[in-house]
DNA sequence: GACCAGGTATTGC
DNA sequence: GCAATACATGGT
């Protein structure tokens, strides 16, 4: 019998939008149960009777670790209200997507995955990331494979990466992995460095432009003031959010997720 | 077969 | 500085 851990109220987080919306790429949904690997542990997360449960991590600090991963200790209601006060046009998206949270992913995983993400779509990104994990074959606790550390990725050849569908991004992936390995990019330091400095460091990497840099800052380093602009967001900024100033909010990244999820929900077939 | 996807690097002005 | 273009791949 698997032990399950209660993470708190299910109302706090929209698992579907948060875990399968394109912040991370290793969770999939099966009948309301979200299975995936993060931090080297394979888990199942689901809601029952208004409560949020986790299975698969029986270690001592599992509760704190996964509450942190899902960012359950941040008051998103307050953030949502502040964003709506600043930009009333956000209210529809925020009410529909208000329980999307910004995951606290491992910075290296976010960097690597968002390099893969460029000019690509979410389902395809997921496939490539999964095959990358299989290729490196580093076991996760509880089954499946962990996201490979930079050393493992740097040891791959571009041909191996092309073989799993990376295409022209193969050399970018090697480049960022190498930069982390040889210390020219200190990801850990970027979490506390001034955000402009951190962004500059990321932009110096071959294969990392403004969009990927902001995704790493937001999803990998929890810099909530970052506002990644992809093709969906660009359209929103030219359309129903024309001339908004949300990009400059201290919670710009949260607003970005509301808009991103809202638009994609609307255009879902 | 063209167009698109959580873009970036390169080139030419 | 900014606009145009190539880049791999799989799904509509």
């Amino acid at each position: 019998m698997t032990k399950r851990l209660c993470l708190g109220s299910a109302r706090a987080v929209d698992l579907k939008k948060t875990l399968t919306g394109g912040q991370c790429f290793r969770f999939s949904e099966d009948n309301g149960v979200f299975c995936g690997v993060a931090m080297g542990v394979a888990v199942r997360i689901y809601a029952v009777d208004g409560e949020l449960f986790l299975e698969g991590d029986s270690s001592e600090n599992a509760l704190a670790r996964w509450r942190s991963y899902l960012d359950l200790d941040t008051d998103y209601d307050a953030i949502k209200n502040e964003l709506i006060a600043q930009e009333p046009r956000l209210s529809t998206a925020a009410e529909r997507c208000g329980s999307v949270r910004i995951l606290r992913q491992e910075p290296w995983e976010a960097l690597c995955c968002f390099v893969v993400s460029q000019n690509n779509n979410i389902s395809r990104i997921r496939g490539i990331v999964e095959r990358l994990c299989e290729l490196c074959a580093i076991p996760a606790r509880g089954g499946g494979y962990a996201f490979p550390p930079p050393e493992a990725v740097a040891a791959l050849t571009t041909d191996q990466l092309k073989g799993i569908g990376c295409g022209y991004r193969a050399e970018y992936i090697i480049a960022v992995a190498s930069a982390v390995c040889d210390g020219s990019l200190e990801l850990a330091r970027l979490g506390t460095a001034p955000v402009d400095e951190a962004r500059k460091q990321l932009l110096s990497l071959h294969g990392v432009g403004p969009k990927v840099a902001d995704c790493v800052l937001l999803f990998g380093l929890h810099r909530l003031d970052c506002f990644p602009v992809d093709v969906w967001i660009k359209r929103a900024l030219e359309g129903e959010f024309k001339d908004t100033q949300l990009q400059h909010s201290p919670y710009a990244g949260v607003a970005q997720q509301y808009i991103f999820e809202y638009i994609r929900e609307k255009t879902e077939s």
Side-chain angles (χ1 to χ4, degrees):
Chain A
M1 172 87 181
T2 321
K3 224 194 296 186
R4 72 182 192 182
L5 192 61
C6 183
L7 297 177
S9 164
R11 256 184 322 108
V13 54
D14 184 328
L15 291 175
K16 189 186 184 74
K17 288 185 168 58
T18 304
L19 289 171
T20 65
Q23 292 187 46
C24 65
F25 301 95
R26 299 211 62 207
F27 276 86
S28 57
E29 179 183 5
D30 182 17
N31 270 329
V33 179
F34 294 80
C35 302
V37 179
M39 303 173 288
V41 186
V43 293
R44 294 153 47 85
I45 304 174
Y46 54 90
V48 174
D49 294 334
E51 295 203 284
L52 195 62
F53 291 102
L54 176 124
E55 290 179 4
D57 191 347
S58 52
S59 65
E60 200 169 316
N61 50 1
L63 178 62
R65 175 188 297 128
W66 290 96
R67 280 190 59 86
S68 168
Y69 183 76
L70 294 169
D71 201 26
L72 294 177
D73 293 315
T74 297
D75 185 351
Y76 280 79
D77 277 335
I79 293 175
K80 179 177 73 175
N81 291 335
E82 184 173 327
L83 288 170
I84 293 174
Q86 183 196 327
E87 175 55 270
R89 286 177 292 178
L90 190 65
S91 56
T92 310
E95 292 307 339
R96 285 201 61 74
C97 307
S99 46
V100 175
R101 285 171 183 262
I102 307 294
L103 294 170
R104 291 181 185 268
Q105 295 181 67
E106 292 176 290
W108 157 247
E109 179 171 341
L111 171 60
C112 191
C113 291
F114 279 97
V115 166
V116 172
S117 81
Q118 59 183 84
N119 201 28
N120 212 338
N121 60 63
I122 291 176
S123 68
R124 201 165 163 267
I125 298 163
R126 298 162 56 84
I128 292 171
V129 169
E130 216 46 51
R131 291 191 291 276
L132 175 64
C133 295
E134 288 166 11
L135 187 59
C136 294
I138 293 164
R141 192 143 50 82
Y145 297 114
F147 191 85
E151 295 77 18
V153 175
L156 298 172
T157 65
T158 54
D159 279 345
Q160 285 179 295
L161 289 169
K162 286 177 181 173
I164 60 171
C166 292
Y168 68 90
R169 308 168 192 83
E171 52 202 71
Y172 299 160
I173 295 166
I174 298 292
V176 295
S178 305
V180 174
C181 288
D182 70 21
S184 52
L185 183 77
E186 298 181 86
L187 272 173
R189 248 175 35 77
L190 298 190
T192 52
V195 71
D196 290 328
E197 172 62 22
R199 183 182 290 108
K200 202 172 120 188
Q201 296 280 320
L202 289 165
L203 287 173
S204 73
L205 299 172
H206 190 55
V208 174
K211 159 65 170 58
V212 170
D214 276 355
C215 282
V216 176
L217 289 168
L218 177 59
F219 301 129
L221 296 160
H222 211 71
R223 293 300 191 99
L224 298 185
D225 54 335
C226 292
F227 189 91
V229 178
D230 63 11
V231 292
W232 300 93
I233 298 296
K234 191 174 299 174
R235 279 174 214 146
L237 293 179
E238 291 164 355
E240 63 180 294
F241 290 96
K242 192 166 173 47
D243 297 323
T244 188
Q245 296 301 306
L246 282 170
Q247 308 94 312
H248 308 115
S249 160
Y251 302 111
V254 178
Q256 191 267 10
Q257 276 307 96
Y258 291 162
I259 296 170
F260 182 76
E261 290 297 331
Y262 176 61
I263 294 181
R264 295 190 66 254
E265 185 176 77
K266 274 203 309 186
T267 55
E268 205 168 312
S269 49

